[in-house]
Amino acid sequence: MTVWIIFLCAIAVFLALDLGVFNKNPHVISSKEASQWTVLWVTLSFIFSGIIHMLYAHQYIDNPTNLTPYQASIKYITGYLIELSLSADNIFVIAIIFSSFKIPQKFQHRVLFWGILGAIFFRGLMIFLGVALINKFDWITYVFGGFLIFTALKMLFTKEEEDFNPKDSKVYKIIGKIFPIKHEIHGQKFFVRENGINYVTPLFIALIVIELMDVIFAVDSVPAILAITADPFLVFSSNIFAILGLRSMYFFLANMLEKFSYIEYSLIAILTFVGIKMLLVHHYKLPEWASLSFIALALTFGVVFSLKKQK
């Protein structure tokens, strides 16, 4: 448990510095600042693969699936890339939610910060539940694999849906029944009190809707990474680094997502690949470099073809 405690404490320190020092005062995060933070998080995420190698080489952490240090590092990187790629749709939905509730840019970071805390809790819960199911029931991998292929086919054949309006969602109506809603922005406050009545602000509603959407997206992403490894620490750490980098990626990519129109096909290919891998797991195991190479190539082709189309 020592490694787990140190890891969680390090994440807590990063988050405390983020909100308490670097983003203490609300401000609009420029593309330059967002790109710098994105590079920092991606760099830290890949550096952590070296720490993974050291932890497993010296047996500082439980190794329930008997991985070599090299295998552990590759599985971590593969899982991280999967989570990062599946975050693309999440970023797009976050942009729609902020636009719908008219959240000013300078307050968006605060909403995402608290959203990250909730995401860490719910992802952790779903990961440990998924790992427990896989370890107890071998056949559950077929269920996860089939679900991922179904999701990929749904993405491929579903026609363009109507614009998502969070204000029409059930969660918005439920919150309205529990709390009086103040439709005006009151700085970066989630709650305001007027005339003895507590109101929730649009920032709070946006936070709840974002949390709900993250849980929905986790239903796809958690089984996807469990196709790579059932090692709890590798699954959790790769998820956490992807989530931590999501905020800076949002500010960097939110206005450019429409340019990457072929990324969706990359996600379809990745989900199909990991789904097939889960279905074959008891019959044939792909080498780790093959999984990592396929995911990296799928993302590369999606970006390259999107840029060519844009030209």
Side-chain angles (χ1 to χ4, degrees), residues 40-57:
L40 175 63
W41 280 118
V42 172
T43 303
L44 287 175
S45 301
F46 279 100
I47 289 174
F48 193 74
S49 65
I51 296 176
I52 290 285
H53 190 282
M54 180 197 71
L55 291 174
Y56 283 77

Side-chain angles (χ1 to χ4, degrees), residues 245-257:
L246 178 63
R247 290 166 305 153
S248 53
M249 284 184 62
Y250 162 75
F251 292 109
F252 181 60
L253 294 176
N255 297 323
M256 299 190 295
L257 280 178

